[in-house]
Amino acid sequence: MKAPRWAGPQVLEADGIKVAFSGRAILSNVYLRVQTGQIVGLLGRNGTGKSTLLQTVFGARAVPDASVRVNNQRVVPAFQTPGLLNYLPQVPLLPGHLSLRQAARLLRVDIDQATRNFPELHPHLDGRLGEVSGGTARLVQVLLLLHADTVFSLFDEPFTGIMPVHVEALATEMQQVAQRKGLLLSDHRYAEVLALCDVVYLLHHGRLLRLGVNPREELRDYGYLL
C-alpha cells in the first residue's frame, strides 16, 4: 500500500542538469516531465547522455544544481524517497544466484501476478537468474520493476535481447501498468517506443527536445529515421 502522500496524480520533473565529459557538454538544456498515467520515451544516439540523464533523475549520479521534483517538492536523491521510483539500468540489476522467486520477494512483488501474461516463464520461476537466457533475465527484471509498488519506473533499454513476441506482450503490460504509474523508458527500438509512448523526448546535441504530434517526421528531420 502506498503512503498517503502518493494518493492522486503525481508529476515528476527534472531540470538544471548540466553534465560534461572531457570538456564536451553532454547535457546542457534539459527539462523532463513524467506524470502518472503516462509512458514517456527518451530517444537519442549512443553517447548522447540518455543513461546519464536517467541516472541523474534516479539519484545514482550526483550532479550539482540538478533539480528533481515531485509535485514541486524537491526529491534529491530521488531513490531515497520510499515508494517513489525504481530504475533498471542497462546492466543486470539483480545478482544471478537469486532465483526468480527470491528476486521477486526482494522487490516485494507477487511473481505469479507479475508473470500472469507470460506463462512460458513459469517453469523458470524456481531457477536462478544466472541460469536463464539473457533475454529471459531481462524480461523478468523489467516485469518485477513494473509491478513493484512505486509511483514511477525508469527503464534503460528494457527491450534488449527480448524476443519480438515478448516485446509485444511487454508493451501491452506497460500500457496496463501505466494506468497507475508513470513510466520513463529509453530504447533503441524506435518503432516500439513511438508506438507505445504518450510523450517522446529526443536528446540531441545536449538538448532535450520534446517532440510534437508527429514525432516520426521530426525524427526524420533530425536524421534518426530514413
Side-chain angles (χ1 to χ4, degrees), residues 107-124:
L107 295 173
R108 300 180 181 178
V109 173
D110 182 337
I111 188 65
D112 297 311
Q113 177 71 9
T115 61
R116 69 192 186 285
N117 294 321
F118 297 85
E120 57 272 39
L121 293 178
H122 295 170
H124 303 291

Side-chain angles (χ1 to χ4, degrees), residues 10 16 18 26 31 34 48 57-58 62 65 67 75 80 86 88 102 117 126 138 165 182 186 192-193 206 208 225-226:
Q10 307 295 320
K18 297 180 181 180
I26 301 296
Y31 172 76
V34 185
T48 55
V57 173
F58 180 66
D65 302 323
S67 176
V75 287
Q80 290 186 352
N86 55 27
L88 181 67
Q102 288 173 327
N117 294 321
D126 293 309
R138 192 68 176 173
V165 64
S186 176
E192 284 80 2
V193 172
L208 190 63
L225 292 178
L226 298 176

Side-chain angles (χ1 to χ4, degrees), residues 200-218:
V200 179
Y201 287 96
L202 175 65
L203 195 48
H204 184 72
H205 295 321
R207 299 176 60 221
L208 190 63
L209 311 172
R210 177 169 172 162
L211 303 185
V213 294
N214 193 344
R216 291 179 183 275
E217 183 175 323
E218 291 185 71

